[in-house]
Structure formats: C-alpha cells, structure tokens
Tab-separated table of all heavy atoms in Angstrom:
chain	number	residue	atom	x	y	z
A	8	MET	N	0.843	-1.198	0.000
A	8	MET	CA	0.000	0.000	0.000
A	8	MET	C	0.877	1.248	0.000
A	8	MET	O	1.335	1.679	1.052
A	8	MET	CB	-0.880	0.014	1.246
A	8	MET	CG	-1.939	-1.049	1.232
A	8	MET	SD	-3.419	-0.506	2.074
A	8	MET	CE	-2.782	0.036	3.654
A	9	PRO	N	1.174	1.786	-1.136
A	9	PRO	CA	2.000	2.997	-1.170
A	9	PRO	C	1.190	4.234	-0.797
A	9	PRO	O	-0.039	4.212	-0.745
A	9	PRO	CB	2.447	3.073	-2.631
A	9	PRO	CG	1.346	2.388	-3.376
A	9	PRO	CD	0.801	1.334	-2.473
A	10	VAL	N	1.927	5.291	-0.558
A	10	VAL	CA	1.310	6.589	-0.293
A	10	VAL	C	1.236	7.368	-1.602
A	10	VAL	O	2.152	7.308	-2.416
A	10	VAL	CB	2.154	7.364	0.739
A	10	VAL	CG1	1.739	8.818	0.819
A	10	VAL	CG2	2.063	6.701	2.109
A	11	VAL	N	0.141	8.066	-1.805
A	11	VAL	CA	0.058	8.971	-2.952
A	11	VAL	C	-0.153	10.393	-2.447
A	11	VAL	O	-0.700	10.611	-1.366
A	11	VAL	CB	-1.068	8.590	-3.936
A	11	VAL	CG1	-0.768	7.262	-4.598
A	11	VAL	CG2	-2.421	8.563	-3.245
A	12	ILE	N	0.301	11.346	-3.235
A	12	ILE	CA	0.173	12.775	-2.914
A	12	ILE	C	-0.783	13.391	-3.920
A	12	ILE	O	-0.607	13.232	-5.126
A	12	ILE	CB	1.553	13.460	-2.992
A	12	ILE	CG1	2.492	12.861	-1.944
A	12	ILE	CG2	1.411	14.979	-2.807
A	12	ILE	CD1	3.933	13.366	-2.035
A	13	ASP	N	-1.810	14.084	-3.417
A	13	ASP	CA	-2.754	14.681	-4.357
A	13	ASP	C	-2.391	16.139	-4.666
A	13	ASP	O	-1.406	16.678	-4.166
A	13	ASP	CB	-4.199	14.518	-3.872
A	13	ASP	CG	-4.505	15.326	-2.628
A	13	ASP	OD1	-3.962	16.432	-2.479
A	13	ASP	OD2	-5.314	14.832	-1.808
A	14	SER	N	-3.195	16.763	-5.498
A	14	SER	CA	-2.852	18.089	-6.026
A	14	SER	C	-2.969	19.210	-5.001
A	14	SER	O	-2.663	20.360	-5.311
A	14	SER	CB	-3.716	18.406	-7.246
A	14	SER	OG	-5.082	18.387	-6.891
A	15	ASP	N	-3.392	18.893	-3.789
A	15	ASP	CA	-3.404	19.909	-2.732
A	15	ASP	C	-2.000	20.204	-2.212
A	15	ASP	O	-1.800	21.134	-1.438
A	15	ASP	CB	-4.272	19.461	-1.558
A	15	ASP	CG	-5.759	19.507	-1.873
A	15	ASP	OD1	-6.126	20.212	-2.839
A	15	ASP	OD2	-6.539	18.855	-1.162
A	16	CYS	N	-1.032	19.397	-2.606
A	16	CYS	CA	0.349	19.568	-2.137
A	16	CYS	C	0.848	20.983	-2.427
A	16	CYS	O	0.719	21.479	-3.546
A	16	CYS	CB	1.253	18.540	-2.824
A	16	CYS	SG	3.013	18.748	-2.471
A	17	ILE	N	1.421	21.602	-1.388
A	17	ILE	CA	1.923	22.978	-1.522
A	17	ILE	C	3.454	23.017	-1.621
A	17	ILE	O	4.060	24.072	-1.456
A	17	ILE	CB	1.455	23.852	-0.340
A	17	ILE	CG1	1.888	23.236	1.008
A	17	ILE	CG2	-0.073	24.042	-0.387
A	17	ILE	CD1	1.625	24.133	2.211
A	18	ASN	N	4.061	21.847	-1.869
A	18	ASN	CA	5.518	21.762	-2.051
A	18	ASN	C	6.285	22.352	-0.869
A	18	ASN	O	7.271	23.064	-1.043
A	18	ASN	CB	5.925	22.460	-3.362
A	18	ASN	CG	5.277	21.831	-4.570
A	18	ASN	OD1	4.997	20.638	-4.591
A	18	ASN	ND2	5.003	22.633	-5.583
A	19	CYS	N	5.836	22.017	0.316
A	19	CYS	CA	6.456	22.606	1.503
A	19	CYS	C	7.745	21.891	1.914
A	19	CYS	O	8.469	22.383	2.776
A	19	CYS	CB	5.471	22.591	2.666
A	19	CYS	SG	5.195	20.954	3.373
A	20	ASP	N	8.002	20.738	1.346
A	20	ASP	CA	9.222	19.960	1.637
A	20	ASP	C	9.224	19.241	2.987
A	20	ASP	O	10.204	18.607	3.329
A	20	ASP	CB	10.494	20.825	1.583
A	20	ASP	CG	10.792	21.349	0.196
A	20	ASP	OD1	10.301	20.757	-0.771
A	20	ASP	OD2	11.525	22.343	0.098
A	21	MET	N	8.170	19.356	3.743
A	21	MET	CA	8.172	18.758	5.084
A	21	MET	C	8.332	17.243	5.042
A	21	MET	O	9.007	16.650	5.874
A	21	MET	CB	6.888	19.111	5.828
A	21	MET	CG	6.767	20.564	6.222
A	21	MET	SD	7.910	21.027	7.522
A	21	MET	CE	7.145	20.211	8.928
A	22	CYS	N	7.714	16.598	4.080
A	22	CYS	CA	7.694	15.138	4.048
A	22	CYS	C	8.991	14.546	3.506
A	22	CYS	O	9.342	13.413	3.824
A	22	CYS	CB	6.531	14.653	3.200
A	22	CYS	SG	6.566	15.273	1.498
A	23	VAL	N	9.692	15.300	2.692
A	23	VAL	CA	10.826	14.750	1.955
A	23	VAL	C	11.894	14.139	2.871
A	23	VAL	O	12.295	12.992	2.675
A	23	VAL	CB	11.431	15.807	1.016
A	23	VAL	CG1	12.673	15.269	0.314
A	23	VAL	CG2	10.394	16.252	-0.009
A	24	PRO	N	12.373	14.870	3.900
A	24	PRO	CA	13.406	14.274	4.756
A	24	PRO	C	12.894	13.155	5.651
A	24	PRO	O	13.701	12.411	6.229
A	24	PRO	CB	13.902	15.462	5.591
A	24	PRO	CG	12.777	16.427	5.585
A	24	PRO	CD	12.096	16.249	4.256
A	25	GLU	N	11.589	13.010	5.776
A	25	GLU	CA	11.027	11.948	6.617
A	25	GLU	C	11.110	10.579	5.961
A	25	GLU	O	11.055	9.552	6.631
A	25	GLU	CB	9.558	12.250	6.942
A	25	GLU	CG	9.327	13.542	7.702
A	25	GLU	CD	10.008	13.533	9.064
A	25	GLU	OE1	10.085	12.458	9.680
A	25	GLU	OE2	10.489	14.596	9.487
A	26	CYS	N	11.238	10.554	4.651
A	26	CYS	CA	11.145	9.278	3.937
A	26	CYS	C	12.478	8.530	3.969
A	26	CYS	O	13.480	9.024	3.460
A	26	CYS	CB	10.727	9.512	2.492
A	26	CYS	SG	10.564	7.952	1.591
A	27	PRO	N	12.484	7.329	4.537
A	27	PRO	CA	13.733	6.561	4.617
A	27	PRO	C	14.152	5.961	3.273
A	27	PRO	O	15.265	5.476	3.134
A	27	PRO	CB	13.390	5.455	5.624
A	27	PRO	CG	11.921	5.256	5.476
A	27	PRO	CD	11.359	6.626	5.172
A	28	ASN	N	13.269	5.992	2.311
A	28	ASN	CA	13.550	5.371	1.018
A	28	ASN	C	13.764	6.382	-0.115
A	28	ASN	O	13.877	5.994	-1.273
A	28	ASN	CB	12.400	4.433	0.640
A	28	ASN	CG	12.307	3.259	1.581
A	28	ASN	OD1	13.308	2.709	1.999
A	28	ASN	ND2	11.094	2.881	1.943
A	29	GLU	N	13.793	7.649	0.234
A	29	GLU	CA	13.916	8.706	-0.780
A	29	GLU	C	12.891	8.507	-1.889
A	29	GLU	O	13.186	8.652	-3.079
A	29	GLU	CB	15.343	8.759	-1.343
A	29	GLU	CG	16.363	9.096	-0.268
A	29	GLU	CD	17.787	9.234	-0.806
A	29	GLU	OE1	18.008	9.000	-2.011
A	29	GLU	OE2	18.673	9.564	-0.005
A	30	ALA	N	11.672	8.173	-1.483
A	30	ALA	CA	10.609	7.889	-2.447
A	30	ALA	C	9.807	9.121	-2.832
A	30	ALA	O	8.997	9.059	-3.758
A	30	ALA	CB	9.659	6.832	-1.870
A	31	ILE	N	10.024	10.222	-2.119
A	31	ILE	CA	9.226	11.427	-2.388
A	31	ILE	C	10.048	12.355	-3.279
A	31	ILE	O	11.099	12.848	-2.889
A	31	ILE	CB	8.825	12.122	-1.078
A	31	ILE	CG1	8.062	11.141	-0.179
A	31	ILE	CG2	7.979	13.363	-1.378
A	31	ILE	CD1	7.807	11.654	1.239
A	32	ILE	N	9.553	12.534	-4.481
A	32	ILE	CA	10.311	13.276	-5.496
A	32	ILE	C	9.434	14.349	-6.122
A	32	ILE	O	8.195	14.260	-6.092
A	32	ILE	CB	10.822	12.321	-6.595
A	32	ILE	CG1	9.656	11.519	-7.206
A	32	ILE	CG2	11.890	11.376	-6.033
A	32	ILE	CD1	10.059	10.598	-8.353
A	33	MET	N	10.046	15.371	-6.695
A	33	MET	CA	9.259	16.425	-7.336
A	33	MET	C	8.686	15.927	-8.656
A	33	MET	O	9.394	15.368	-9.490
A	33	MET	CB	10.154	17.658	-7.569
A	33	MET	CG	9.428	18.827	-8.218
A	33	MET	SD	7.934	19.358	-7.318
A	33	MET	CE	8.676	20.389	-6.046
A	34	GLY	N	7.384	16.134	-8.827
A	34	GLY	CA	6.736	15.779	-10.076
A	34	GLY	C	6.564	17.010	-10.943
A	34	GLY	O	7.255	18.017	-10.757
A	35	ALA	N	5.632	16.973	-11.862
A	35	ALA	CA	5.440	18.071	-12.806
A	35	ALA	C	5.000	19.353	-12.099
A	35	ALA	O	5.468	20.445	-12.421
A	35	ALA	CB	4.428	17.669	-13.862
A	36	ALA	N	4.104	19.225	-11.135
A	36	ALA	CA	3.573	20.420	-10.466
A	36	ALA	C	3.743	20.371	-8.953
A	36	ALA	O	3.746	21.401	-8.293
A	36	ALA	CB	2.092	20.586	-10.802
A	37	HIS	N	3.855	19.192	-8.417
A	37	HIS	CA	4.000	19.051	-6.967
A	37	HIS	C	4.719	17.737	-6.685
A	37	HIS	O	4.953	16.942	-7.599
A	37	HIS	CB	2.634	19.088	-6.273
A	37	HIS	CG	1.684	18.016	-6.752
A	37	HIS	ND1	1.758	16.695	-6.336
A	37	HIS	CD2	0.646	18.072	-7.624
A	37	HIS	CE1	0.788	16.009	-6.916
A	37	HIS	NE2	0.105	16.810	-7.714
A	38	TYR	N	5.047	17.531	-5.422
A	38	TYR	CA	5.739	16.307	-5.056
A	38	TYR	C	4.859	15.086	-5.328
A	38	TYR	O	3.623	15.149	-5.239
A	38	TYR	CB	6.143	16.330	-3.580
A	38	TYR	CG	7.396	17.118	-3.329
A	38	TYR	CD1	7.343	18.431	-2.887
A	38	TYR	CD2	8.643	16.541	-3.559
A	38	TYR	CE1	8.501	19.166	-2.672
A	38	TYR	CE2	9.809	17.262	-3.350
A	38	TYR	CZ	9.728	18.574	-2.908
A	38	TYR	OH	10.881	19.281	-2.704
A	39	VAL	N	5.529	13.991	-5.661
A	39	VAL	CA	4.843	12.724	-5.885
A	39	VAL	C	5.644	11.628	-5.187
A	39	VAL	O	6.817	11.813	-4.859
A	39	VAL	CB	4.706	12.389	-7.390
A	39	VAL	CG1	3.844	13.420	-8.109
A	39	VAL	CG2	6.074	12.277	-8.060
A	40	VAL	N	5.005	10.489	-4.970
A	40	VAL	CA	5.689	9.342	-4.384
A	40	VAL	C	6.028	8.344	-5.489
A	40	VAL	O	5.167	7.983	-6.292
A	40	VAL	CB	4.815	8.668	-3.307
A	40	VAL	CG1	5.473	7.379	-2.807
A	40	VAL	CG2	4.581	9.625	-2.136
A	41	ASP	N	7.289	7.948	-5.517
A	41	ASP	CA	7.706	6.885	-6.429
A	41	ASP	C	7.147	5.582	-5.868
A	41	ASP	O	7.603	5.083	-4.841
A	41	ASP	CB	9.231	6.852	-6.492
A	41	ASP	CG	9.759	5.794	-7.462
A	41	ASP	OD1	9.032	4.803	-7.706
A	41	ASP	OD2	10.887	5.947	-7.953
A	42	LEU	N	6.135	5.054	-6.525
A	42	LEU	CA	5.418	3.893	-5.995
A	42	LEU	C	6.306	2.660	-5.921
A	42	LEU	O	6.021	1.731	-5.164
A	42	LEU	CB	4.166	3.608	-6.838
A	42	LEU	CG	3.147	4.740	-6.898
A	42	LEU	CD1	1.922	4.306	-7.688
A	42	LEU	CD2	2.745	5.208	-5.506
A	43	ASP	N	7.365	2.621	-6.696
A	43	ASP	CA	8.280	1.476	-6.629
A	43	ASP	C	9.199	1.551	-5.417
A	43	ASP	O	9.792	0.552	-5.020
A	43	ASP	CB	9.126	1.399	-7.903
A	43	ASP	CG	8.286	1.000	-9.105
A	43	ASP	OD1	7.307	0.258	-8.923
A	43	ASP	OD2	8.620	1.438	-10.221
A	44	LYS	N	9.332	2.741	-4.848
A	44	LYS	CA	10.235	2.915	-3.703
A	44	LYS	C	9.508	2.950	-2.373
A	44	LYS	O	10.081	2.638	-1.332
A	44	LYS	CB	11.056	4.200	-3.864
A	44	LYS	CG	12.118	4.133	-4.947
A	44	LYS	CD	12.976	5.387	-4.907
A	44	LYS	CE	14.138	5.311	-5.884
A	44	LYS	NZ	14.935	6.564	-5.855
A	45	CYS	N	8.253	3.377	-2.371
A	45	CYS	CA	7.512	3.491	-1.112
A	45	CYS	C	7.182	2.109	-0.568
A	45	CYS	O	6.563	1.301	-1.243
A	45	CYS	CB	6.223	4.278	-1.321
A	45	CYS	SG	5.221	4.352	0.192
A	46	THR	N	7.620	1.868	0.662
A	46	THR	CA	7.352	0.588	1.315
A	46	THR	C	6.417	0.769	2.505
A	46	THR	O	6.324	-0.112	3.359
A	46	THR	CB	8.664	-0.027	1.833
A	46	THR	OG1	9.257	0.893	2.758
A	46	THR	CG2	9.619	-0.316	0.696
A	47	GLU	N	5.776	1.916	2.581
A	47	GLU	CA	4.935	2.246	3.737
A	47	GLU	C	5.801	2.321	5.008
A	47	GLU	O	5.333	2.111	6.111
A	47	GLU	CB	3.815	1.201	3.879
A	47	GLU	CG	2.609	1.638	4.656
A	47	GLU	CD	1.624	0.484	4.799
A	47	GLU	OE1	1.540	-0.346	3.864
A	47	GLU	OE2	0.950	0.419	5.832
A	48	CYS	N	7.090	2.565	4.782
A	48	CYS	CA	8.087	2.679	5.857
A	48	CYS	C	8.361	1.359	6.575
A	48	CYS	O	8.950	1.347	7.653
A	48	CYS	CB	7.707	3.750	6.877
A	48	CYS	SG	7.861	5.426	6.265
A	49	GLU	N	7.963	0.258	5.970
A	49	GLU	CA	8.196	-1.037	6.587
A	49	GLU	C	9.691	-1.241	6.862
A	49	GLU	O	10.540	-0.968	6.008
A	49	GLU	CB	7.689	-2.141	5.654
A	49	GLU	CG	7.700	-3.511	6.297
A	49	GLU	CD	7.144	-4.581	5.361
A	49	GLU	OE1	6.351	-4.244	4.475
A	49	GLU	OE2	7.519	-5.739	5.534
A	50	GLY	N	10.017	-1.693	8.050
A	50	GLY	CA	11.401	-1.908	8.433
A	50	GLY	C	12.043	-0.692	9.078
A	50	GLY	O	13.113	-0.790	9.668
A	51	PHE	N	11.396	0.459	8.955
A	51	PHE	CA	11.909	1.689	9.552
A	51	PHE	C	10.983	2.189	10.657
A	51	PHE	O	11.413	2.482	11.765
A	51	PHE	CB	12.062	2.782	8.488
A	51	PHE	CG	13.111	2.475	7.464
A	51	PHE	CD1	12.766	1.884	6.255
A	51	PHE	CD2	14.441	2.776	7.706
A	51	PHE	CE1	13.732	1.601	5.298
A	51	PHE	CE2	15.417	2.498	6.765
A	51	PHE	CZ	15.062	1.901	5.558
A	52	TYR	N	9.696	2.295	10.333
A	52	TYR	CA	8.719	2.821	11.285
A	52	TYR	C	7.478	1.949	11.257
A	52	TYR	O	7.224	1.226	10.298
A	52	TYR	CB	8.326	4.264	10.925
A	52	TYR	CG	9.494	5.182	10.721
A	52	TYR	CD1	9.793	5.678	9.453
A	52	TYR	CD2	10.310	5.560	11.791
A	52	TYR	CE1	10.875	6.524	9.240
A	52	TYR	CE2	11.400	6.400	11.591
A	52	TYR	CZ	11.681	6.883	10.318
A	52	TYR	OH	12.754	7.706	10.120
A	53	SER	N	6.674	2.059	12.308
A	53	SER	CA	5.473	1.241	12.392
A	53	SER	C	4.336	1.779	11.539
A	53	SER	O	3.340	1.089	11.309
A	53	SER	CB	5.008	1.127	13.847
A	53	SER	OG	4.745	2.412	14.375
A	54	GLU	N	4.484	3.006	11.079
A	54	GLU	CA	3.465	3.577	10.191
A	54	GLU	C	4.152	4.580	9.274
A	54	GLU	O	5.282	4.984	9.543
A	54	GLU	CB	2.354	4.250	10.994
A	54	GLU	CG	2.828	5.344	11.919
A	54	GLU	CD	1.710	5.853	12.823
A	54	GLU	OE1	0.791	5.070	13.143
A	54	GLU	OE2	1.757	7.035	13.176
A	55	PRO	N	3.508	4.985	8.200
A	55	PRO	CA	4.144	5.923	7.272
A	55	PRO	C	4.607	7.199	7.981
A	55	PRO	O	3.827	7.843	8.680
A	55	PRO	CB	3.043	6.229	6.260
A	55	PRO	CG	2.201	4.990	6.263
A	55	PRO	CD	2.190	4.540	7.710
A	56	ALA	N	5.864	7.541	7.799
A	56	ALA	CA	6.433	8.713	8.480
A	56	ALA	C	6.005	10.016	7.819
A	56	ALA	O	6.000	11.068	8.453
A	56	ALA	CB	7.953	8.602	8.493
A	57	CYS	N	5.661	9.939	6.562
A	57	CYS	CA	5.387	11.172	5.822
A	57	CYS	C	4.011	11.769	6.123
A	57	CYS	O	3.859	12.992	6.222
A	57	CYS	CB	5.510	10.911	4.327
A	57	CYS	SG	4.520	9.519	3.722
A	58	ILE	N	3.017	10.912	6.260
A	58	ILE	CA	1.632	11.401	6.367
A	58	ILE	C	1.420	12.372	7.537
A	58	ILE	O	0.816	13.428	7.348
A	58	ILE	CB	0.647	10.217	6.431
A	58	ILE	CG1	0.649	9.469	5.091
A	58	ILE	CG2	-0.771	10.694	6.775
A	58	ILE	CD1	-0.203	8.208	5.072
A	59	PRO	N	1.940	12.065	8.752
A	59	PRO	CA	1.653	12.965	9.881
A	59	PRO	C	2.287	14.348	9.764
A	59	PRO	O	1.824	15.279	10.418
A	59	PRO	CB	2.233	12.216	11.095
A	59	PRO	CG	2.483	10.836	10.646
A	59	PRO	CD	2.658	10.870	9.171
A	60	VAL	N	3.336	14.493	8.982
A	60	VAL	CA	4.000	15.797	8.913
A	60	VAL	C	3.410	16.717	7.853
A	60	VAL	O	3.740	17.897	7.802
A	60	VAL	CB	5.523	15.664	8.665
A	60	VAL	CG1	6.164	14.799	9.760
A	60	VAL	CG2	5.840	15.119	7.284
A	61	CYS	N	2.532	16.190	7.027
A	61	CYS	CA	1.976	17.016	5.949
A	61	CYS	C	0.957	18.012	6.506
A	61	CYS	O	-0.045	17.607	7.090
A	61	CYS	CB	1.321	16.138	4.892
A	61	CYS	SG	0.615	17.115	3.547
A	62	PRO	N	1.192	19.315	6.312
A	62	PRO	CA	0.306	20.323	6.891
A	62	PRO	C	-1.041	20.452	6.190
A	62	PRO	O	-1.966	21.068	6.734
A	62	PRO	CB	1.111	21.624	6.761
A	62	PRO	CG	1.999	21.393	5.588
A	62	PRO	CD	2.344	19.923	5.627
A	63	VAL	N	-1.162	19.896	5.000
A	63	VAL	CA	-2.427	20.045	4.269
A	63	VAL	C	-3.129	18.695	4.043
A	63	VAL	O	-4.111	18.622	3.301
A	63	VAL	CB	-2.221	20.763	2.918
A	63	VAL	CG1	-1.767	22.201	3.152
A	63	VAL	CG2	-1.230	20.022	2.028
A	64	ASP	N	-2.630	17.651	4.696
A	64	ASP	CA	-3.273	16.339	4.624
A	64	ASP	C	-3.528	15.868	3.195
A	64	ASP	O	-4.624	15.395	2.876
A	64	ASP	CB	-4.595	16.342	5.404
A	64	ASP	CG	-4.366	16.419	6.899
A	64	ASP	OD1	-3.307	15.965	7.367
A	64	ASP	OD2	-5.251	16.952	7.594
A	65	CYS	N	-2.516	16.010	2.362
A	65	CYS	CA	-2.723	15.605	0.968
A	65	CYS	C	-2.080	14.264	0.654
A	65	CYS	O	-2.015	13.851	-0.502
A	65	CYS	CB	-2.204	16.675	0.018
A	65	CYS	SG	-0.424	16.901	0.057
A	66	MET	N	-1.598	13.561	1.682
A	66	MET	CA	-0.975	12.255	1.476
A	66	MET	C	-1.924	11.161	1.959
A	66	MET	O	-2.475	11.245	3.054
A	66	MET	CB	0.337	12.161	2.246
A	66	MET	CG	1.254	13.347	1.997
A	66	MET	SD	2.857	13.162	2.797
A	66	MET	CE	3.800	12.381	1.497
A	67	THR	N	-2.092	10.134	1.146
A	67	THR	CA	-3.059	9.086	1.458
A	67	THR	C	-2.480	7.720	1.143
A	67	THR	O	-1.840	7.535	0.103
A	67	THR	CB	-4.329	9.260	0.588
A	67	THR	OG1	-4.744	10.619	0.624
A	67	THR	CG2	-5.451	8.378	1.090
A	68	LEU	N	-2.720	6.766	2.015
A	68	LEU	CA	-2.366	5.385	1.711
A	68	LEU	C	-3.395	4.815	0.746
A	68	LEU	O	-4.596	4.954	0.963
A	68	LEU	CB	-2.384	4.540	2.988
A	68	LEU	CG	-1.095	4.376	3.769
A	68	LEU	CD1	-1.389	3.583	5.035
A	68	LEU	CD2	-0.037	3.672	2.951
A	69	ILE	N	-2.938	4.174	-0.293
A	69	ILE	CA	-3.868	3.554	-1.240
A	69	ILE	C	-3.596	2.061	-1.322
A	69	ILE	O	-2.514	1.592	-0.974
A	69	ILE	CB	-3.744	4.165	-2.654
A	69	ILE	CG1	-2.316	3.994	-3.195
A	69	ILE	CG2	-4.150	5.629	-2.649
A	69	ILE	CD1	-2.213	4.170	-4.685
A	70	ALA	N	-4.558	1.350	-1.812
A	70	ALA	CA	-4.387	-0.082	-2.014
A	70	ALA	C	-3.339	-0.303	-3.091
A	70	ALA	O	-3.250	0.443	-4.067
A	70	ALA	CB	-5.703	-0.709	-2.439
A	71	ASP	N	-2.522	-1.320	-2.901
A	71	ASP	CA	-1.469	-1.622	-3.864
A	71	ASP	C	-2.096	-2.029	-5.188
A	71	ASP	O	-2.961	-2.894	-5.236
A	71	ASP	CB	-0.588	-2.748	-3.320
A	71	ASP	CG	0.772	-2.760	-3.987
A	71	ASP	OD1	0.891	-2.272	-5.130
A	71	ASP	OD2	1.711	-3.248	-3.344
A	72	THR	N	-1.644	-1.380	-6.245
A	72	THR	CA	-2.209	-1.667	-7.561
A	72	THR	C	-1.493	-2.826	-8.238
A	72	THR	O	-1.933	-3.311	-9.267
A	72	THR	CB	-2.133	-0.423	-8.460
A	72	THR	OG1	-0.784	0.062	-8.466
A	72	THR	CG2	-3.053	0.669	-7.946
A	73	LYS	N	-0.368	-3.232	-7.642
A	73	LYS	CA	0.368	-4.350	-8.249
A	73	LYS	C	-0.192	-5.676	-7.745
A	73	LYS	O	-0.614	-5.778	-6.603
A	73	LYS	CB	1.851	-4.232	-7.900
A	73	LYS	CG	2.562	-3.181	-8.724
A	73	LYS	CD	4.004	-3.023	-8.302
A	73	LYS	CE	4.135	-2.123	-7.101
A	73	LYS	NZ	5.514	-1.771	-6.786
A	74	ALA	N	-0.143	-6.687	-8.562
A	74	ALA	CA	-0.698	-7.981	-8.198
A	74	ALA	C	0.144	-8.645	-7.124
A	74	ALA	O	1.328	-8.437	-7.058
A	74	ALA	CB	-0.770	-8.872	-9.433
B	109	SF4	S1	5.200	5.894	3.562
B	109	SF4	FE1	7.357	5.942	4.168
B	109	SF4	S2	8.422	5.024	2.409
B	109	SF4	FE2	6.409	5.673	1.684
B	109	SF4	S3	6.694	7.746	0.882
B	109	SF4	FE3	6.013	7.926	3.025
B	109	SF4	S4	7.903	8.132	4.178
B	109	SF4	FE4	8.451	7.288	2.168
B	110	SF4	S1	4.314	17.587	3.364
B	110	SF4	FE1	2.432	17.530	2.103
B	110	SF4	S2	2.277	19.587	1.225
B	110	SF4	FE2	4.370	19.354	1.972
B	110	SF4	S3	5.559	18.649	0.183
B	110	SF4	FE3	4.887	16.822	1.338
B	110	SF4	S4	2.963	16.209	0.376
B	110	SF4	FE4	3.366	18.310	-0.252
C-alpha cells in the first residue's frame, strides 16, 4: 500500500526528509511518491512517516495496484 500525494500539495518539503527510502520526489507540479520505492516505511517505522507531517493532509495510503 503505497502513499500517494494529491494536487493539494503545496511543495512545503516537510515530508521529503522523513522518507527513509527517498521515495518522495518532485513531479510536474508538486511532489509525488515513487510507488516502486515506497514501502509504507516497513522496516523503519510502524506507520508511514510522511503522512503525519503534511500540513495540508494531501498524502493518502492507497491499495497496492500491483498484483
Ligand atoms: S510511507 Fe514511508 S516510504 Fe512511503 S513515501 Fe512515506 S515516508 Fe516514504
Ligand atoms: S508535506 Fe504535504 S504539502 Fe508538503 S511537500 Fe509533502 S505532500 Fe506536499
């Protein structure tokens, strides 16, 4: 279940240093999560480290789209 960032992202950079996998990268208009790198912080934290630091709540866990 990776995290996705929606268009409410204000590019505040708060989440970027929280990610142990460097999965949060700048996209065309706002930050996005590299779905191949996001592990939901497994092995590092008990829950996603990025979601709680986002000031606009634009990060969401989604169901894994891969089989
Ligand atoms: S859930 Fe963890 S691994 Fe995934 S983007 Fe957020 S901080 Fe990075
Ligand atoms: S913390 Fe939220 S608003 Fe800030 S860059 Fe990350 S996703 Fe965007």
Side-chain angles (χ1 to χ4, degrees):
M8 291 212 307
V10 167
V11 294
I12 297 174
D13 68 35
S14 60
D15 287 341
C16 174
I17 56 172
N18 300 330
C19 73
D20 294 339
M21 291 290 287
C22 58
V23 176
E25 299 298 326
C26 181
N28 294 321
E29 298 183 356
I31 303 171
I32 55 177
M33 181 55 82
H37 58 78
Y38 279 98
V39 297
V40 174
D41 182 335
L42 300 183
D43 290 329
K44 289 187 175 178
C45 176
T46 59
E47 202 184 327
C48 289
E49 189 178 335
F51 294 95
Y52 309 111
S53 59
E54 58 187 29
C57 53
I58 293 175
V60 303
C61 180
V63 295
D64 290 333
C65 66
M66 310 185 91
T67 313
L68 268 176
I69 59 162
D71 201 335
T72 53
K73 283 176 278 189

